[in-house]
């Protein structure tokens, strides 16, 4: 009989394969849009409330990632994500400081897709003329009622929808007594975002545009390289590189 860890490995691996296949067409449509925006000097914005913030941070300011990715941060960690209008205020404050510009893309992450703040951010961005990409769990989102005053869920207000292919409740391994463990949303979500960023990098290279890619600061000369890249986006990045 396989261990719980082995069961998780098998199920998570199969889920990751499904996520790769099902999201490939969306990534193929979305990557060129992001690439064209970056080629014109634009940045990519991310937002994730609560645990989804971990996924949103996956592609911000890290070795092997594009420098021009920045994030809207909720200082409450999602504690008041269902306070009416709170997400809109977060987006507006971020907009004043770092600018949400028409033609750019915001990636909004919410596993359930039902909470108010992610929907607020998506609606604010769309009104500003940005492309909205949602990263969510469609199986869960379709089964849970919206907490947003509009009654809408994240996937219903997005231009592109990336599905992490998880299950309602996120965990995939039964551990006894009707309880499950082994969540997959972070594993799948981070993978999907990296697939997307690699597709963007491929589009940029294929169309003759430079790749503003960060290097590990543990490699000689990388800190200077990263600082020079970040200087091109002065005032646009919520996480500035030292």
């Amino acid at each position: 009989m396989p261990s719980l860890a082995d069961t998780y490995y098998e199920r998570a691996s199969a889920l990751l394969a499904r996520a790769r296949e099902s999201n490939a067409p969306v990534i193929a449509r979305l990557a060129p849009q992001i690439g064209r925006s970056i080629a014109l000097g634009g940045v990519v914005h991310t937002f994730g409330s609560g645990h989804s913030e971990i996924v949103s941070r996956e592609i911000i300011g890290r070795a092997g990632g594009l420098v021009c990715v920045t994030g809207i941060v909720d200082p409450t960690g999602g504690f008041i994500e269902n306070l009416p209008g709170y997400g809109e205020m977060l987006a507006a404050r971020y907009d004043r400081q770092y600018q949400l510009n028409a033609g750019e893309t915001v990636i909004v992450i919410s596993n359930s897709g039902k909470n108010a703040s992610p929907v607020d951010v998506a609606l604010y961005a769309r009104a500003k003329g940005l492309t909205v990409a949602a990263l969510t769990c469609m199986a869960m989102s379709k089964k849970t009622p919206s907490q947003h005053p509009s009654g809408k869920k994240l996937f219903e207000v997005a231009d592109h929808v990336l599905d992490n292919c998880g299950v309602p409740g996120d965990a995939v391994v039964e551990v006894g007594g009707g309880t499950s463990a082994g969540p997959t949303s972070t594993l799948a979500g981070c993978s999907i975002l990296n697939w997307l960023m690699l597709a963007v990098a491929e589009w940029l290279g294929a169309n003759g545009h430079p790749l503003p890619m960060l290097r590990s600061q543990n490699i000689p000369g990388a800190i200077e390289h990263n600082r020079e890249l970040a200087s091109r986006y002065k005032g646009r990045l919520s996480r500035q590189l030292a």
Side-chain angles (χ1 to χ4, degrees):
M1 182 176 181
S3 69
L4 295 179
D6 286 340
T7 300
Y8 176 78
Y9 174 76
E10 292 168 2
R11 293 179 182 175
S13 296
L15 182 148
L16 206 58
R18 290 196 302 274
R20 176 61 181 152
E21 182 177 0
S22 66
N23 287 291
V26 183
I27 290 173
R29 294 191 298 270
L30 180 56
Q33 288 186 249
I34 295 175
R36 283 190 286 270
S37 173
I38 291 174
L40 294 171
V43 304
V44 180
H45 312 270
T46 70
F47 175 74
S49 181
H51 196 83
S52 292
E53 185 180 354
I54 295 173
V55 183
S56 76
R57 288 293 302 271
E58 168 66 15
I59 55 173
I60 298 175
R62 67 172 304 161
L66 294 166
V67 68
C68 49
V69 184
T70 181
I72 304 169
V73 177
D74 177 2
T76 76
F79 185 69
I80 55 174
E81 64 182 349
N82 285 319
L83 180 69
Y86 177 66
E88 182 179 358
M89 289 187 286
L90 276 180
R93 183 183 67 174
Y94 173 91
D95 187 16
R96 289 191 297 271
Q97 188 167 1
Y98 302 109
Q99 303 171 38
L100 287 163
N101 293 335
E104 295 178 340
T105 296
V106 60
I107 303 170
V108 183
I109 302 101
S110 172
N111 188 55
S112 70
K114 72 180 182 65
N115 293 316
S117 286
V119 177
D120 272 343
V121 171
L123 290 172
Y124 183 96
R126 287 197 71 176
K128 292 281 297 188
L130 281 81
T131 295
V132 175
L135 173 52
T136 190
C137 173
M138 289 300 295
M140 186 168 183
S141 191
K142 288 181 177 180
K143 289 188 174 182
T144 54
S146 172
Q147 299 299 306
H148 192 266
S150 70
K152 298 287 188 181
K153 298 177 219 177
L154 180 59
F155 77 91
E156 295 174 310
V157 299
D159 300 295
H160 301 273
V161 179
L162 297 160
D163 183 5
N164 66 28
C165 293
V167 300
D170 203 3
V172 296
V173 180
E174 168 72 37
V175 295
T179 302
S180 294
T184 60
S185 59
T186 303
L187 170 69
C190 290
S191 296
I192 291 166
L193 291 186
N194 279 305
W195 297 332
L196 175 60
M197 291 299 102
L198 285 166
V200 171
E202 188 171 19
W203 185 93
L204 288 168
N207 287 276
H209 301 292
L211 294 178
M213 200 72 69
L214 294 167
R215 299 173 184 170
S216 169
Q217 64 179 7
N218 298 307
I219 297 174
I223 291 177
E224 293 76 14
H225 167 84
N226 292 345
R227 285 174 175 168
E228 194 280 326
L229 282 183
S231 69
R232 305 175 194 175
Y233 298 93
K234 188 174 178 63
R236 297 295 321 276
L237 306 179
S238 60
R239 182 183 182 276
Q240 291 290 347
L241 299 174

